[in-house]
Amino acid sequence: MRLRVDLLPRRGTPSQPPEPYADTVLVVDVIRATTTATTYLERGATALLLAAELETALALRGPEVVLAGERGGLAPPGFDLGNSPLEAAGRRFDGRRVVMSTTNGTAAAALACETGQHVILACLRNAHAAARRARDLAAEEIVILCAGSGGRAGLDDIYTAGVLTEYLLALGEWSLDDGARIALTVRRQFADPLEPLTLSRAAELLVEVGLEADVAYCAEVSQSTSVPTFAGREGEALVFQ
Amino acid sequence: MRLRVDLLPRRGTPSQPPEPYADTVLVVDVIRATTTATTYLERGATALLLAAELETALALRGPEVVLAGERGGLAPPGFDLGNSPLEAAGRRFDGRRVVMSTTNGTAAAALACETGQHVILACLRNAHAAARRARDLAAEEIVILCAGSGGRAGLDDIYTAGVLTEYLLALGEWSLDDGARIALTVRRQFADPLEPLTLSRAAELLVEVGLEADVAYCAEVSQSTSVPTFAGREGEALVFQ
Protein backbone atom coordinates (compact mmCIF):
# COMPACT_ATOMS: atom_id res chain seq x y z
CA MET A 1 0.00 0.00 0.00
CA ARG A 2 1.17 3.50 -0.82
CA LEU A 3 0.87 6.49 1.47
CA ARG A 4 1.37 9.92 -0.02
CA VAL A 5 1.11 13.33 1.62
CA ASP A 6 0.47 16.33 -0.58
CA LEU A 7 1.75 19.34 1.35
CA LEU A 8 -0.50 21.48 -0.82
CA PRO A 9 -3.35 20.71 -3.24
CA ARG A 10 -1.70 19.86 -6.55
CA ARG A 11 -3.20 21.53 -9.54
CA GLY A 12 -0.50 20.81 -12.07
CA THR A 13 0.54 23.02 -14.94
CA PRO A 14 -0.37 22.98 -18.61
CA SER A 15 2.72 20.89 -19.36
CA GLN A 16 2.50 18.81 -16.22
CA PRO A 17 -0.93 17.62 -15.13
CA PRO A 18 -1.15 16.58 -11.47
CA GLU A 19 -1.35 12.94 -10.56
CA PRO A 20 -5.03 12.37 -9.85
CA TYR A 21 -6.46 11.47 -6.49
CA ALA A 22 -7.66 8.03 -7.54
CA ASP A 23 -8.22 5.94 -4.44
CA THR A 24 -8.74 7.18 -0.87
CA VAL A 25 -8.11 10.78 0.17
CA LEU A 26 -7.96 12.29 3.65
CA VAL A 27 -8.54 16.03 3.30
CA VAL A 28 -6.99 18.08 6.12
CA ASP A 29 -7.79 21.69 6.99
CA VAL A 30 -7.37 21.36 10.73
CA ILE A 31 -7.74 25.11 11.43
CA ARG A 32 -10.66 24.97 11.00
CA ALA A 33 -12.88 23.54 8.27
CA THR A 34 -12.36 19.82 8.77
CA THR A 35 -12.46 20.16 12.57
CA THR A 36 -15.72 22.08 12.35
CA ALA A 37 -17.19 19.60 9.86
CA THR A 38 -16.36 16.73 12.22
CA THR A 39 -18.02 18.58 15.08
CA TYR A 40 -21.27 19.17 13.18
CA LEU A 41 -21.71 15.43 12.56
CA GLU A 42 -20.70 14.65 16.13
CA ARG A 43 -23.37 17.06 17.35
CA GLY A 44 -26.15 15.35 15.44
CA ALA A 45 -26.20 16.86 11.93
CA THR A 46 -27.62 14.36 9.42
CA ALA A 47 -25.43 15.63 6.58
CA LEU A 48 -22.87 18.24 5.68
CA LEU A 49 -23.10 20.01 2.33
CA LEU A 50 -19.87 21.69 1.24
CA ALA A 51 -20.43 24.57 -1.15
CA ALA A 52 -17.51 26.42 -2.74
CA GLU A 53 -19.52 29.54 -3.56
CA LEU A 54 -21.52 31.59 -1.06
CA GLU A 55 -24.37 31.78 -3.58
CA THR A 56 -24.53 27.98 -3.77
CA ALA A 57 -24.73 27.85 0.01
CA LEU A 58 -27.42 30.54 0.24
CA ALA A 59 -29.50 28.75 -2.41
CA LEU A 60 -29.61 25.67 -0.18
CA ARG A 61 -31.31 27.56 2.62
CA GLY A 62 -34.49 25.87 3.92
CA PRO A 63 -36.18 24.39 6.95
CA GLU A 64 -33.87 22.23 9.04
CA VAL A 65 -30.87 23.71 7.22
CA VAL A 66 -28.07 25.59 9.00
CA LEU A 67 -25.82 27.85 6.94
CA ALA A 68 -22.25 27.98 8.23
CA GLY A 69 -19.02 29.26 6.83
CA GLU A 70 -16.43 31.94 6.69
CA ARG A 71 -14.63 34.45 4.61
CA GLY A 72 -11.60 35.98 6.30
CA GLY A 73 -12.35 34.03 9.48
CA LEU A 74 -15.86 35.42 10.02
CA ALA A 75 -19.41 34.38 9.08
CA PRO A 76 -20.54 35.78 5.69
CA PRO A 77 -23.68 37.96 5.61
CA GLY A 78 -26.89 35.93 5.78
CA PHE A 79 -25.18 32.91 7.39
CA ASP A 80 -26.38 31.40 10.67
CA LEU A 81 -22.93 30.44 11.94
CA GLY A 82 -19.27 31.11 11.29
CA ASN A 83 -16.68 28.38 11.01
CA SER A 84 -15.94 28.02 14.72
CA PRO A 85 -15.73 24.40 15.91
CA LEU A 86 -16.14 25.58 19.51
CA GLU A 87 -19.38 27.31 18.61
CA ALA A 88 -20.55 24.12 16.88
CA ALA A 89 -19.52 22.04 19.89
CA GLY A 90 -21.82 24.05 22.14
CA ARG A 91 -24.97 23.26 20.13
CA ARG A 92 -27.00 20.32 18.86
CA PHE A 93 -27.87 19.86 15.19
CA ASP A 94 -30.06 16.75 15.45
CA GLY A 95 -32.10 16.17 12.33
CA ARG A 96 -30.58 19.16 10.56
CA ARG A 97 -28.35 19.52 7.54
CA VAL A 98 -25.42 21.91 7.73
CA VAL A 99 -24.35 23.76 4.60
CA MET A 100 -20.69 24.83 4.92
CA SER A 101 -18.79 27.24 2.75
CA THR A 102 -15.16 27.90 3.62
CA THR A 103 -12.23 28.78 1.40
CA ASN A 104 -9.22 26.47 1.56
CA GLY A 105 -10.87 23.37 3.06
CA THR A 106 -13.80 23.43 0.65
CA ALA A 107 -11.50 23.88 -2.34
CA ALA A 108 -9.29 20.97 -1.27
CA ALA A 109 -12.32 18.72 -0.72
CA ALA A 110 -13.68 19.68 -4.15
CA LEU A 111 -10.35 18.78 -5.77
CA ALA A 112 -10.28 15.40 -4.01
CA CYS A 113 -13.89 14.62 -4.94
CA GLU A 114 -13.21 15.28 -8.64
CA THR A 115 -11.39 11.98 -8.98
CA GLY A 116 -11.13 10.25 -5.58
CA GLN A 117 -12.91 6.98 -4.97
CA HIS A 118 -13.29 7.72 -1.25
CA VAL A 119 -12.91 11.16 0.32
CA ILE A 120 -12.78 11.72 4.07
CA LEU A 121 -12.51 14.95 6.05
CA ALA A 122 -9.81 14.51 8.69
CA CYS A 123 -8.50 16.60 11.56
CA LEU A 124 -6.73 15.99 14.85
CA ARG A 125 -10.00 15.44 16.75
CA ASN A 126 -11.02 12.51 14.55
CA ALA A 127 -7.48 11.44 13.57
CA HIS A 128 -7.59 7.87 14.80
CA ALA A 129 -11.09 7.16 13.52
CA ALA A 130 -10.34 8.81 10.16
CA ALA A 131 -7.13 6.81 9.71
CA ARG A 132 -8.98 3.57 10.45
CA ARG A 133 -11.77 4.45 8.04
CA ALA A 134 -9.28 5.30 5.31
CA ARG A 135 -7.39 2.06 5.91
CA ASP A 136 -10.64 0.10 5.62
CA LEU A 137 -11.66 1.82 2.38
CA ALA A 138 -8.35 2.04 0.51
CA ALA A 139 -7.51 -0.47 -2.21
CA GLU A 140 -3.87 0.48 -2.76
CA GLU A 141 -3.25 4.12 -1.94
CA ILE A 142 -4.11 6.74 0.64
CA VAL A 143 -3.33 10.37 -0.09
CA ILE A 144 -3.42 12.90 2.74
CA LEU A 145 -4.23 16.20 1.08
CA CYS A 146 -3.24 19.26 3.12
CA ALA A 147 -5.43 22.24 2.27
CA GLY A 148 -2.90 24.90 3.25
CA SER A 149 -3.91 28.53 3.06
CA GLY A 150 -4.08 30.62 -0.09
CA GLY A 151 -1.64 28.33 -1.87
CA ARG A 152 0.85 28.18 1.01
CA ALA A 153 1.60 25.12 3.10
CA GLY A 154 0.39 25.17 6.71
CA LEU A 155 2.39 23.88 9.66
CA ASP A 156 -0.92 22.92 11.32
CA ASP A 157 -2.07 20.78 8.39
CA ILE A 158 1.29 19.09 7.89
CA TYR A 159 1.55 18.26 11.59
CA THR A 160 -1.93 16.72 11.38
CA ALA A 161 -0.89 14.74 8.31
CA GLY A 162 2.00 13.43 10.40
CA VAL A 163 -0.36 12.28 13.15
CA LEU A 164 -2.53 10.51 10.56
CA THR A 165 0.58 8.95 9.01
CA GLU A 166 1.68 7.65 12.39
CA TYR A 167 -1.70 6.02 12.99
CA LEU A 168 -1.66 4.48 9.51
CA LEU A 169 1.83 3.07 10.11
CA ALA A 170 0.41 1.30 13.15
CA LEU A 171 -2.33 -0.22 10.98
CA GLY A 172 -0.26 -1.72 8.18
CA GLU A 173 2.71 -1.64 5.84
CA TRP A 174 3.13 1.41 3.62
CA SER A 175 5.58 2.79 1.12
CA LEU A 176 5.94 6.47 2.05
CA ASP A 177 6.59 9.33 -0.31
CA ASP A 178 8.72 12.36 0.58
CA GLY A 179 5.64 14.28 1.71
CA ALA A 180 4.76 11.54 4.20
CA ARG A 181 8.33 11.54 5.55
CA ILE A 182 8.24 15.32 5.94
CA ALA A 183 4.89 15.17 7.76
CA LEU A 184 6.10 12.40 10.04
CA THR A 185 9.24 14.38 10.85
CA VAL A 186 7.18 17.43 11.76
CA ARG A 187 4.83 15.34 13.90
CA ARG A 188 7.73 13.79 15.83
CA GLN A 189 9.36 17.13 16.51
CA PHE A 190 6.47 18.42 18.62
CA ALA A 191 5.38 16.64 21.79
CA ASP A 192 2.35 18.89 22.31
CA PRO A 193 0.00 19.34 19.31
CA LEU A 194 -0.91 22.80 20.54
CA GLU A 195 2.61 23.99 19.77
CA PRO A 196 2.70 23.51 15.97
CA LEU A 197 -0.91 24.63 15.70
CA THR A 198 -0.23 27.82 17.65
CA LEU A 199 2.87 28.56 15.54
CA SER A 200 0.91 28.28 12.30
CA ARG A 201 -0.19 31.25 10.25
CA ALA A 202 -3.78 29.92 10.38
CA ALA A 203 -3.74 30.30 14.17
CA GLU A 204 -2.23 33.79 13.95
CA LEU A 205 -5.12 34.85 11.73
CA LEU A 206 -7.62 33.52 14.29
CA VAL A 207 -5.89 35.40 17.09
CA GLU A 208 -6.25 38.57 15.02
CA VAL A 209 -10.06 38.16 14.93
CA GLY A 210 -10.34 37.08 18.58
CA LEU A 211 -10.99 33.38 17.91
CA GLU A 212 -7.88 31.89 19.51
CA ALA A 213 -9.96 29.53 21.68
CA ASP A 214 -10.71 27.57 18.51
CA VAL A 215 -7.02 26.66 18.20
CA ALA A 216 -6.93 24.73 21.47
CA TYR A 217 -10.09 22.87 20.45
CA CYS A 218 -8.58 21.96 17.06
CA ALA A 219 -5.44 20.64 18.86
CA GLU A 220 -7.28 17.92 20.80
CA VAL A 221 -6.30 14.55 19.34
CA SER A 222 -8.68 11.66 18.69
CA GLN A 223 -11.57 12.90 20.81
CA SER A 224 -14.17 12.16 18.14
CA THR A 225 -15.29 9.12 16.19
CA SER A 226 -17.17 11.20 13.60
CA VAL A 227 -15.66 10.75 10.16
CA PRO A 228 -17.30 12.88 7.46
CA THR A 229 -17.20 10.76 4.31
CA PHE A 230 -18.15 11.83 0.79
CA ALA A 231 -21.57 10.43 -0.11
CA GLY A 232 -22.36 12.16 -3.40
CA ARG A 233 -23.37 15.50 -4.87
CA GLU A 234 -26.46 17.65 -4.54
CA GLY A 235 -26.27 20.17 -7.34
CA GLU A 236 -22.91 21.90 -6.88
CA ALA A 237 -22.60 20.90 -3.24
CA LEU A 238 -20.60 17.94 -1.94
CA VAL A 239 -22.50 15.82 0.58
CA PHE A 240 -20.58 14.29 3.50
CA GLN A 241 -22.11 11.96 6.06
CA MET B 1 13.12 40.89 7.49
CA ARG B 2 10.85 38.11 6.27
CA LEU B 3 11.98 34.58 5.53
CA ARG B 4 9.65 32.38 3.53
CA VAL B 5 10.17 28.81 2.33
CA ASP B 6 8.11 27.60 -0.61
CA LEU B 7 7.99 23.80 -0.33
CA LEU B 8 7.18 23.73 -4.04
CA PRO B 9 7.29 26.33 -6.82
CA ARG B 10 4.05 28.28 -6.61
CA ARG B 11 2.29 28.76 -9.87
CA GLY B 12 -1.06 29.94 -8.59
CA THR B 13 -4.42 29.30 -10.19
CA PRO B 14 -6.61 31.41 -12.45
CA SER B 15 -8.49 32.71 -9.40
CA GLN B 16 -5.46 32.90 -7.14
CA PRO B 17 -2.25 34.25 -8.64
CA PRO B 18 0.90 33.30 -6.71
CA GLU B 19 2.66 35.89 -4.62
CA PRO B 20 5.58 36.99 -6.77
CA TYR B 21 9.20 36.40 -5.92
CA ALA B 22 10.04 40.08 -5.53
CA ASP B 23 13.25 40.40 -3.57
CA THR B 24 15.93 37.71 -3.03
CA VAL B 25 15.36 34.06 -3.91
CA LEU B 26 17.48 31.03 -3.06
CA VAL B 27 16.60 28.27 -5.52
CA VAL B 28 17.23 24.76 -4.16
CA ASP B 29 17.42 21.56 -6.19
CA VAL B 30 20.04 19.84 -4.08
CA ILE B 31 19.80 16.49 -5.94
CA ARG B 32 21.29 17.58 -8.23
CA ALA B 33 20.98 20.72 -10.37
CA THR B 34 22.03 23.40 -7.90
CA THR B 35 24.83 21.23 -6.49
CA THR B 36 26.16 20.61 -9.99
CA ALA B 37 25.85 24.30 -10.91
CA THR B 38 27.84 25.27 -7.83
CA THR B 39 30.52 22.74 -8.75
CA TYR B 40 30.94 24.06 -12.31
CA LEU B 41 31.70 27.57 -11.02
CA GLU B 42 33.97 26.16 -8.33
CA ARG B 43 35.88 24.26 -11.00
CA GLY B 44 36.59 27.37 -13.04
CA ALA B 45 33.62 27.90 -15.37
CA THR B 46 33.25 31.57 -16.27
CA ALA B 47 29.46 31.39 -16.51
CA LEU B 48 26.52 29.00 -16.30
CA LEU B 49 23.70 29.31 -18.81
CA LEU B 50 20.48 27.62 -17.73
CA ALA B 51 18.27 26.59 -20.63
CA ALA B 52 14.83 25.09 -20.08
CA GLU B 53 14.63 23.46 -23.51
CA LEU B 54 17.18 21.07 -24.94
CA GLU B 55 16.99 22.92 -28.26
CA THR B 56 17.94 26.18 -26.56
CA ALA B 57 20.92 24.44 -24.99
CA LEU B 58 22.03 22.82 -28.24
CA ALA B 59 21.80 26.16 -30.06
CA LEU B 60 24.33 27.63 -27.61
CA ARG B 61 26.98 25.12 -28.63
CA GLY B 62 30.32 26.68 -29.57
CA PRO B 63 34.02 26.80 -28.79
CA GLU B 64 34.74 26.94 -25.06
CA VAL B 65 31.15 25.84 -24.35
CA VAL B 66 30.29 22.66 -22.44
CA LEU B 67 26.78 21.24 -22.78
CA ALA B 68 25.53 19.55 -19.63
CA GLY B 69 22.17 18.35 -18.47
CA GLU B 70 19.77 15.54 -17.94
CA ARG B 71 16.46 14.06 -18.77
CA GLY B 72 15.48 11.17 -16.52
CA GLY B 73 18.82 11.35 -14.73
CA LEU B 74 21.00 10.86 -17.82
CA ALA B 75 22.74 13.11 -20.36
CA PRO B 76 20.53 13.96 -23.37
CA PRO B 77 21.81 13.02 -26.85
CA GLY B 78 24.44 15.46 -28.14
CA PHE B 79 25.40 16.67 -24.66
CA ASP B 80 28.98 16.58 -23.36
CA LEU B 81 28.07 15.83 -19.76
CA GLY B 82 25.16 14.65 -17.65
CA ASN B 83 24.09 16.36 -14.45
CA SER B 84 26.50 14.61 -12.10
CA PRO B 85 28.22 16.92 -9.61
CA LEU B 86 30.85 14.25 -8.95
CA GLU B 87 31.70 14.13 -12.63
CA ALA B 88 31.95 17.93 -12.65
CA ALA B 89 34.13 17.87 -9.53
CA GLY B 90 36.69 15.69 -11.30
CA ARG B 91 37.33 18.18 -14.11
CA ARG B 92 38.37 21.77 -14.70
CA PHE B 93 36.29 24.24 -16.71
CA ASP B 94 38.62 27.24 -16.68
CA GLY B 95 37.69 29.83 -19.25
CA ARG B 96 34.66 27.83 -20.39
CA ARG B 97 30.95 28.48 -20.23
CA VAL B 98 28.69 25.64 -19.16
CA VAL B 99 25.19 25.40 -20.64
CA MET B 100 22.93 23.41 -18.33
CA SER B 101 19.48 21.99 -19.06
CA THR B 102 17.76 20.07 -16.29
CA THR B 103 14.07 19.70 -15.52
CA ASN B 104 12.97 20.73 -12.01
CA GLY B 105 15.91 22.95 -11.07
CA THR B 106 15.89 24.88 -14.32
CA ALA B 107 12.11 25.40 -14.12
CA ALA B 108 12.33 26.70 -10.55
CA ALA B 109 15.18 29.06 -11.45
CA ALA B 110 13.19 30.35 -14.43
CA LEU B 111 10.18 31.03 -12.20
CA ALA B 112 12.34 32.91 -9.68
CA CYS B 113 14.05 34.97 -12.40
CA GLU B 114 10.71 36.11 -13.83
CA THR B 115 10.20 38.53 -10.94
CA GLY B 116 13.04 38.17 -8.42
CA GLN B 117 15.45 41.03 -7.82
CA HIS B 118 18.27 38.65 -6.87
CA VAL B 119 18.32 34.93 -7.63
CA ILE B 120 20.88 32.53 -6.19
CA LEU B 121 21.37 28.81 -6.74
CA ALA B 122 21.79 27.13 -3.36
CA CYS B 123 22.59 23.63 -2.17
CA LEU B 124 24.15 22.03 0.88
CA ARG B 125 27.69 22.38 -0.46
CA ASN B 126 27.44 26.18 -0.71
CA ALA B 127 24.82 26.62 2.04
CA HIS B 128 26.76 28.96 4.30
CA ALA B 129 28.11 31.10 1.46
CA ALA B 130 24.71 31.25 -0.25
CA ALA B 131 22.94 32.26 2.96
CA ARG B 132 25.46 35.05 3.53
CA ARG B 133 25.14 36.28 -0.05
CA ALA B 134 21.35 36.29 0.21
CA ARG B 135 21.51 38.16 3.51
CA ASP B 136 23.77 40.78 1.93
CA LEU B 137 21.52 41.25 -1.10
CA ALA B 138 18.04 41.15 0.45
CA ALA B 139 16.17 44.37 1.16
CA GLU B 140 13.29 42.91 3.16
CA GLU B 141 12.57 39.33 2.16
CA ILE B 142 14.33 36.09 1.30
CA VAL B 143 12.36 33.26 -0.24
CA ILE B 144 13.87 29.79 -0.35
CA LEU B 145 12.26 28.11 -3.34
CA CYS B 146 12.39 24.31 -3.26
CA ALA B 147 12.29 22.85 -6.76
CA GLY B 148 10.78 19.50 -5.77
CA SER B 149 10.31 16.88 -8.43
CA GLY B 150 7.51 16.77 -10.99
CA GLY B 151 5.28 18.91 -8.77
CA ARG B 152 5.98 16.94 -5.59
CA ALA B 153 7.87 18.21 -2.58
CA GLY B 154 11.29 16.69 -1.95
CA LEU B 155 12.61 15.74 1.48
CA ASP B 156 16.12 16.57 0.20
CA ASP B 157 15.20 20.10 -0.86
CA ILE B 158 13.21 20.86 2.29
CA TYR B 159 16.05 19.61 4.51
CA THR B 160 18.42 21.91 2.59
CA ALA B 161 15.99 24.80 3.02
CA GLY B 162 16.14 24.08 6.75
CA VAL B 163 19.94 24.26 6.76
CA LEU B 164 19.80 27.59 4.90
CA THR B 165 17.14 28.84 7.35
CA GLU B 166 19.34 27.93 10.29
CA TYR B 167 22.28 29.85 8.83
CA LEU B 168 20.06 32.85 8.13
CA LEU B 169 18.76 32.80 11.71
CA ALA B 170 22.36 33.11 12.86
CA LEU B 171 22.80 36.17 10.63
CA GLY B 172 19.83 38.27 11.70
CA GLU B 173 16.25 38.62 12.88
CA TRP B 174 13.55 37.10 10.70
CA SER B 175 9.83 36.57 10.75
CA LEU B 176 9.33 32.98 9.57
CA ASP B 177 6.41 31.64 7.59
CA ASP B 178 4.98 28.13 8.06
CA GLY B 179 7.21 26.79 5.28
CA ALA B 180 10.33 28.02 7.09
CA ARG B 181 9.15 26.42 10.33
CA ILE B 182 8.51 23.13 8.54
CA ALA B 183 11.95 23.21 6.89
CA LEU B 184 13.65 24.03 10.18
CA THR B 185 11.82 21.17 11.89
CA VAL B 186 12.96 18.74 9.21
CA ARG B 187 16.54 20.00 9.44
CA ARG B 188 16.61 19.55 13.22
CA GLN B 189 15.25 16.02 13.05
CA PHE B 190 18.25 14.66 11.16
CA ALA B 191 21.75 14.82 12.61
CA ASP B 192 23.42 13.50 9.44
CA PRO B 193 22.50 15.26 6.15
CA LEU B 194 23.05 12.02 4.27
CA GLU B 195 20.02 10.49 5.97
CA PRO B 196 17.26 12.79 4.63
CA LEU B 197 18.96 12.94 1.24
CA THR B 198 19.15 9.16 1.00
CA LEU B 199 15.48 8.79 2.04
CA SER B 200 14.34 11.18 -0.71
CA ARG B 201 12.69 10.06 -3.92
CA ALA B 202 15.34 12.02 -5.87
CA ALA B 203 18.05 9.78 -4.38
CA GLU B 204 16.03 6.64 -5.10
CA LEU B 205 15.87 7.63 -8.76
CA LEU B 206 19.66 8.09 -8.86
CA VAL B 207 20.20 4.68 -7.30
CA GLU B 208 18.04 3.21 -10.07
CA VAL B 209 20.41 4.59 -12.71
CA GLY B 210 23.60 3.71 -10.79
CA LEU B 211 24.45 7.26 -9.72
CA GLU B 212 24.16 6.87 -5.94
CA ALA B 213 27.67 8.29 -5.37
CA ASP B 214 26.27 11.68 -6.33
CA VAL B 215 24.01 11.63 -3.26
CA ALA B 216 26.91 11.55 -0.79
CA TYR B 217 28.57 14.42 -2.66
CA CYS B 218 25.34 16.47 -2.55
CA ALA B 219 25.12 15.83 1.23
CA GLU B 220 28.42 17.58 2.08
CA VAL B 221 27.62 20.84 3.88
CA SER B 222 29.34 24.18 3.26
CA GLN B 223 32.35 22.84 1.40
CA SER B 224 32.13 25.48 -1.33
CA THR B 225 32.14 29.24 -1.49
CA SER B 226 30.83 29.34 -5.05
CA VAL B 227 27.43 31.04 -5.19
CA PRO B 228 25.87 31.07 -8.67
CA THR B 229 24.02 34.37 -8.89
CA PHE B 230 21.68 35.51 -11.67
CA ALA B 231 23.47 37.99 -13.91
CA GLY B 232 21.03 38.45 -16.81
CA ARG B 233 19.67 36.70 -19.89
CA GLU B 234 21.25 35.59 -23.11
CA GLY B 235 18.39 34.85 -25.47
CA GLU B 236 16.22 32.33 -23.64
CA ALA B 237 19.01 31.23 -21.32
CA LEU B 238 19.52 32.49 -17.76
CA VAL B 239 23.12 33.46 -17.03
CA PHE B 240 24.56 32.76 -13.56
CA GLN B 241 28.01 33.81 -12.41
Side-chain angles (χ1 to χ4, degrees), chain A residues 4 7 10-11 13 16 19 150-155 158 177-178 181-182 185-186 189 199-201, chain B residues 4 7 10-11 13 16 19 150-155 158 177-178 181-182 185-186 188-189 199-201:
Chain A
R4 178 177 126 198
L7 307 182
R10 296 165 58 201
R11 299 187 175 280
T13 63
Q16 196 171 63
E19 290 173 57
R152 300 177 71 160
L155 180 61
I158 290 172
D177 81 339
D178 284 26
R181 294 188 193 282
I182 292 161
T185 301
V186 170
Q189 188 76 6
L199 285 170
S200 72
R201 178 66 183 144
Chain B
R4 177 177 126 197
L7 307 182
R10 296 165 56 200
R11 298 187 175 281
T13 63
Q16 196 171 63
E19 290 173 57
R152 302 177 69 159
L155 180 61
I158 290 172
D177 81 338
D178 284 26
R181 293 188 194 281
I182 292 162
T185 301
V186 170
R188 289 176 177 164
Q189 188 76 6
L199 285 171
S200 73
R201 177 69 183 143

Side-chain angles (χ1 to χ4, degrees), chain A residues 146-208:
Chain A
C146 298
S149 179
R152 300 177 71 160
L155 180 61
D156 51 331
D157 289 341
I158 290 172
Y159 175 85
T160 303
V163 171
L164 290 163
T165 297
E166 208 162 56
Y167 282 133
L168 287 167
L169 288 175
L171 295 172
E173 294 283 322
W174 303 87
S175 72
L176 305 183
D177 81 339
D178 284 26
R181 294 188 193 282
I182 292 161
L184 207 50
T185 301
V186 170
R187 185 267 170 273
R188 289 176 177 163
Q189 188 76 6
F190 294 101
D192 180 353
L194 191 54
E195 193 182 348
L197 264 59
T198 302
L199 285 170
S200 72
R201 178 66 183 144
E204 279 180 13
L205 292 172
L206 285 184
V207 170
E208 287 171 16

Side-chain angles (χ1 to χ4, degrees), chain A residues 30-32 35 85 123-125 197 213-221:
Chain A
V30 65
I31 299 177
R32 300 174 288 170
T35 302
C123 57
L124 286 176
R125 289 189 61 84
L197 264 59
D214 276 350
V215 179
Y217 183 84
C218 292
E220 293 173 0
V221 179

Side-chain angles (χ1 to χ4, degrees), chain B residues 41-45 88-94 96:
Chain B
L41 288 194
E42 191 183 317
R43 303 299 293 168
R91 303 187 178 208
R92 294 290 318 178
F93 298 90
D94 304 83
R96 307 182 78 183

